[in-house]
Amino acid sequence: MKLLTVLFFSFFLYQNTLAQHHHHDHGHDHYKGLHHWEIPSRDPDRIILNFNGDPATSRAVTWRTDSTVTNAYAQLAVATVNSKFTDKAKQLEAVTEPFNLGQYKGNASLTVHYHSVVFTELNPDTQYVYRVGDGKAHWSEWIQFRTAKTEYSATQFVYFGDAQNDVLEHWSRVIRKAYQTAPNAAFVIHAGDLINQAHRDYEWAEWYKAGGFIHRQWTAIPVVGNHEFRGMTKGAPKRLSIQWRPQFTLPVEKELSKELHETVYTVDYQDIRIIVLNSTDKLEEQVEYVENQLKDCTAKWKIITCHHSIFAPAKGRNFQFGRDKWKPILDKYNVDLVLNGHDHTYARGHVPIRTTKNKKNEDLQTVYVTSVSGPKQYKLDTEQMKNYKVDGYELDASGEQTQFYQVITIEDNTLKYVAYTVLGEKYDEMEISKDFKTGKKKLVNAQ
């Protein structure tokens, strides 16, 4: 009898401890049905680097924890050949933002904390090491990145069309293959539709797991796509993904209306100007923004990225506004490259400079690319592509039913572009050679 009492008492204690533990975990029931990699904890997850300020002297990092971490920190040091840099690491307090996942009914009813730090006053062309955590026992690993040079010099970056669907299952191998191909890429452009259902946290969890440590060391330039917009309930007006602003720390262009903040911004990287546009919302307002970003621009290369394809290659797609309102400005200021997604097919074409007498001119104006990195694939519409001749567009290469990633290398007076399939095989390539004095460009097709 005594033994039974002891056993019962022990079981009671055990149950009590468990109950307290569950209570401490903020309603463990909220985690029901979640994969372990979706569940927030005191350990930092969803760590990502973004540009915010001059890429030569600053970088932003954002991460997530559960709501018990109310004070979070980032530590930063110049990287060394051994671990002694830890003695010199400086600690910066993060801005912490509570975020209620449950405001979207498709998510678990959870509050998480997003934390962000902008590293400033960094040295150009320097390898840094950083980590993020609660200042106590819960830290990430140390992660390396390199700041940009102040002057024009060789740069490489990666660009992805839509990841969008079954991201963990079918996009993981794409970003990983891209990392194997261009491990030292300075940054990566995600050209919209990173996920499928804007507010669904499970899909963002997939996106972060698919990229893993790559998101932590390649600096991301995320572009907003139409699938980053959705009503919170059926029939409700579309709104930007509730995770977008908390999970990225992007430049805020104060002259634009609030709705466009952190979805329209410009990055100047080593004399390359990258202008990110939001092709889903408030398009008219961005016409003036594009003009302002280009009119006094002295950058050696000018690149535009937006989600919707200016020259849509897929059946039934047409971004008329882009051709009518944005393209004339791109022509006027001799933009070099436009990177799009949305169409779930592949197309690379160019617009040559038109002479006054409309004679054939070999000089290049702009190269336009549409690509896809995820598993969702559409059909090409070759007839539709022919109709773009009125806009001066000439199709150079196309593809369908293929998952791609692109590596762009800029050095001296050439921009070299290569599209790879997910198998790591070259599918398409071209070079733009440019005379910086005159702005004249030639397209070198090296297929």
Side-chain angles (χ1 to χ4, degrees), residues 85-122:
F85 63 79
T86 56
D87 302 340
K88 290 186 177 158
K90 65 174 186 185
Q91 186 159 299
L92 299 146
E93 194 166 356
V95 173
T96 294
E97 181 181 345
F99 175 75
N100 173 16
L101 277 180
Q103 59 185 304
Y104 178 66
K105 64 176 185 352
N107 296 331
S109 175
L110 271 181
T111 294
V112 296
H113 281 180
Y114 278 100
H115 313 279
S116 62
V117 167
V118 180
F119 300 126
T120 56
E121 295 175 18
L122 306 180

Side-chain angles (χ1 to χ4, degrees), residues 112-160:
V112 296
H113 281 180
Y114 278 100
H115 313 279
S116 62
V117 167
V118 180
F119 300 126
T120 56
E121 295 175 18
L122 306 180
N123 299 319
D125 192 23
T126 302
Q127 195 145 229
Y128 280 91
V129 67
Y130 76 95
R131 68 173 183 170
V132 297
D134 64 358
K136 302 183 191 98
H138 299 270
W139 287 101
S140 71
E141 74 278 30
W142 287 98
I143 304 148
Q144 289 187 161
F145 71 88
R146 181 179 282 280
T147 49
K149 294 177 179 175
T150 47
E151 73 284 357
Y152 179 62
S153 48
T155 305
Q156 188 172 68
F157 67 94
V158 170
Y159 136 65
F160 295 111

Side-chain angles (χ1 to χ4, degrees), residues 313-328:
K315 263 192 179 6
R317 293 294 178 100
N318 181 21
F319 184 29
Q320 194 72 44
F321 184 94
R323 286 199 305 289
D324 290 350
K325 299 291 179 75
W326 289 353
K327 182 187 171 283

Side-chain angles (χ1 to χ4, degrees), residues 100-351:
N100 173 16
L101 277 180
Q103 59 185 304
Y104 178 66
K105 64 176 185 352
N107 296 331
S109 175
L110 271 181
T111 294
V112 296
H113 281 180
Y114 278 100
H115 313 279
S116 62
V117 167
V118 180
F119 300 126
T120 56
E121 295 175 18
L122 306 180
N123 299 319
D125 192 23
T126 302
Q127 195 145 229
Y128 280 91
V129 67
Y130 76 95
R131 68 173 183 170
V132 297
D134 64 358
K136 302 183 191 98
H138 299 270
W139 287 101
S140 71
E141 74 278 30
W142 287 98
I143 304 148
Q144 289 187 161
F145 71 88
R146 181 179 282 280
T147 49
K149 294 177 179 175
T150 47
E151 73 284 357
Y152 179 62
S153 48
T155 305
Q156 188 172 68
F157 67 94
V158 170
Y159 136 65
F160 295 111
D162 309 34
Q164 194 174 334
N165 307 80
D166 304 318
V167 171
L168 181 57
E169 194 178 357
H170 289 302
W171 186 66
S172 302
R173 69 185 181 124
V174 185
I175 187 171
R176 293 170 195 178
K177 194 52 129 174
Y179 179 76
Q180 283 180 292
T181 308
N184 295 316
F187 55 90
V188 53
I189 293 173
H190 299 277
D193 286 4
L194 284 61
I195 64 162
N196 190 40
Q197 297 175 61
H199 317 295
R200 194 173 172 223
D201 202 63
Y202 167 71
E203 294 186 23
W204 284 116
E206 281 201 307
W207 189 82
Y208 277 95
K209 185 168 167 59
F213 73 86
I214 303 168
H215 292 316
R216 303 175 176 203
Q217 61 188 53
W218 269 359
T219 303
I221 297 181
V223 179
V224 81
N226 56 303
H227 281 268
E228 272 78 53
F229 286 83
R230 200 186 175 100
M232 292 294 271
T233 52
K234 230 191 171 81
K238 283 191 162 91
R239 63 174 280 192
L240 177 63
S241 165
I242 52 175
Q243 287 89 344
W244 189 268
R245 290 191 181 105
Q247 77 184 0
F248 301 133
T249 303
L250 298 166
V252 172
E253 302 285 19
K254 293 197 172 70
E255 72 268 30
L256 294 171
S257 58
K258 258 205 163 81
E259 292 91 330
L260 291 175
H261 286 178
E262 291 188 80
T263 68
V264 177
Y265 56 97
T266 296
V267 174
D268 286 320
Y269 193 95
Q270 291 180 180
D271 230 0
I272 304 159
R273 172 157 284 190
I274 296 136
I275 302 169
V276 178
L277 298 176
N278 174 341
S279 53
T280 304
D281 202 20
K282 295 190 171 293
L283 305 185
E284 204 63 65
E285 195 184 327
Q286 295 170 66
V287 174
E288 192 185 351
Y289 178 81
V290 177
E291 178 101 36
N292 288 342
Q293 293 305 305
L294 290 171
K295 69 176 177 204
D296 301 317
C297 177
T298 58
K300 285 193 160 49
W301 299 94
K302 300 189 261 296
I303 297 171
I304 304 264
T305 179
C306 65
H307 178 61
H308 293 78
S309 181
I310 307 281
F311 293 103
K315 263 192 179 6
R317 293 294 178 100
N318 181 21
F319 184 29
Q320 194 72 44
F321 184 94
R323 286 199 305 289
D324 290 350
K325 299 291 179 75
W326 289 353
K327 182 187 171 283
I329 303 171
L330 312 190
D331 289 347
K332 182 176 170 185
Y333 296 106
N334 204 13
V335 163
D336 303 297
L337 184 62
V338 177
L339 304 174
N340 300 137
H342 190 58
D343 275 35
H344 300 273
T345 49
Y346 179 81
R348 173 177 64 80
H350 74 282
V351 173

Side-chain angles (χ1 to χ4, degrees), residues 414-430:
T414 60
L415 181 153
K416 188 177 183 197
Y417 163 98
V418 185
Y420 293 89
T421 73
V422 62
L423 305 180
E425 294 162 352
K426 279 186 185 183
Y427 181 85
D428 176 36
E429 58 184 313
M430 65 90 184

